[in-house]
Amino acid sequence: MSQQTAPPPPPPYRPYRQVREATPHSRAVSCVRFSPCGRLLATASLDGTVALLSPSSLAVIAVLRGHSDGVSDLSWSTESYYLCSASDDRTIRIWDIRPVLAGGAQAAAADPGADRCIRVLKGHTNFVFSANFNPQTSSQIASGGFDCTVRIWDVKNGRCTRAIEAHSEPVTSVHFIRDGSIVVSGSHDGSCKIWDAKTGACLKTVIDEKKPAVSFSMFSPNGKFILVAMLDNSLKLCNFATGKFLKVYSGHVNRQYCIQSAFSVTNGKYIVSGSEDNCVYIWDLQGRNILQKLEGHTDTVISVSCHPTENKIASGGLDNDRTVRLWVQDS
């Protein structure tokens, strides 16, 4: 009789500590995103710029200018060649990051202001609040905005291939599943919906509560779950196949802002989120307990990002803080 082996216990939790702090923008930081290759940290701001930072020193390697209003969201293509930015100027810009990666910091520093924008996607009739590359192809992007639509774009020709009247209030987030077949959207109308990326058909309404507003939603890295943030100080993990809520994470403060959370999978499985009490919270994914509360920011932490291979977290703060901070686990 074969003996079933118990799964290995999770590694013991090692605390994070702040190692770097930088102020690459003149206004609130709205989004922080490590590149999938791990070699860059992109940051966006209400000042209308996108900065590319060193993920170790937080030195500014390049600044991407072109938006005429604040930038709310960023997404990398899977191979880290392209970055897209969603802006209050109603456009999405696609930036070619290959020269920065090829030339390294020195080449980028020699020409930090080079125009790296290769496409401007126009069609939204109000602020674009979220944008996400299809993980399977850098030629497709989903976006959501204050015009209550979810849009699918062909990056190669710059055209909108699907404009979906998705929600009755602003769309706060769009995110592809890892195989690129479906998109999850969240909205201030309190609903969270799944869309067919090809046809634009609504396949499922995961949540339809009216209140509280859904401020953020994303698929888990394995594609089995959706992490949903709501403006009632809660984060929920949902099995989207069954529509059942499996876990609720609480203790942070989130009643006003669309705070971007993240999965951490490089050492144990954690949920990481910013908070309106100026802290970064880390929960044990399975146990739901708060493992650590990272203090240092002086305003709401609006966005966090986990490095793809290293035990490293980046965070960004709103206008009374404006810093990007880097946290690493003690070895």
Side-chain angles (χ1 to χ4, degrees), residues 100-311:
V100 180
L101 289 170
Q106 285 178 316
D111 192 10
D115 185 4
R116 305 185 194 282
C117 181
I118 54 169
R119 285 275 183 284
V120 181
L121 308 182
K122 297 178 179 177
H124 277 285
T125 58
N126 205 328
F127 306 150
V128 191
F129 201 66
S130 181
N132 189 237
F133 266 107
N134 183 326
Q136 297 299 320
T137 170
S138 57
S139 63
Q140 190 178 58
I141 283 172
S143 65
F146 272 52
D147 59 8
C148 308
T149 67
V150 168
R151 292 172 189 256
I152 309 290
W153 303 84
D154 182 328
V155 173
K156 284 180 180 163
N157 61 27
R159 290 197 185 120
C160 175
T161 57
R162 287 271 176 269
I164 307 162
E165 301 291 333
H167 292 277
S168 60
E169 288 191 48
V171 178
T172 54
S173 56
V174 290
H175 190 248
F176 278 99
I177 199 168
R178 68 176 186 174
D179 71 4
S181 62
I182 55 179
V183 174
V184 61
S185 66
S187 168
H188 274 303
D189 67 12
S191 70
C192 184
K193 298 179 181 181
I194 309 281
W195 308 92
D196 185 303
K198 278 204 178 80
T199 66
C202 183
L203 302 178
K204 181 173 280 196
T205 299
V206 183
I207 306 169
D208 195 8
E209 298 288 342
K210 305 293 182 260
K211 283 184 178 179
V214 173
S215 50
F216 181 72
S217 57
M218 70 178 292
F219 284 103
S220 60
N222 66 10
K224 292 180 181 174
F225 308 104
I226 298 171
L227 184 65
V228 182
M230 296 178 174
L231 293 184
D232 65 351
N233 308 318
S234 76
L235 273 164
K236 294 177 178 173
L237 193 68
C238 174
N239 179 330
F240 84 93
T242 63
K244 286 193 166 67
F245 287 113
L246 306 174
K247 312 271 185 189
V248 180
Y249 307 92
S250 59
H252 64 309
V253 184
N254 188 197
R255 290 195 171 274
Q256 184 177 0
Y257 295 106
C258 293
I259 292 173
Q260 301 169 341
S261 40
F263 288 86
S264 172
V265 295
T266 50
N267 179 43
K269 291 188 168 62
Y270 312 133
I271 302 291
V272 184
S273 178
S275 174
E276 289 159 18
D277 65 1
N278 310 346
C279 297
V280 176
Y281 283 75
I282 304 172
W283 291 266
D284 175 47
L285 187 145
Q286 289 297 342
R288 308 188 307 268
N289 50 306
I290 295 172
L291 294 168
Q292 198 177 358
K293 183 175 158 184
L294 308 180
E295 300 178 0
H297 284 283
T298 55
D299 201 348
T300 293
V301 180
I302 196 74
S303 181
V304 294
S305 181
C306 299
H307 193 279
T309 56
E310 300 169 25
N311 302 322

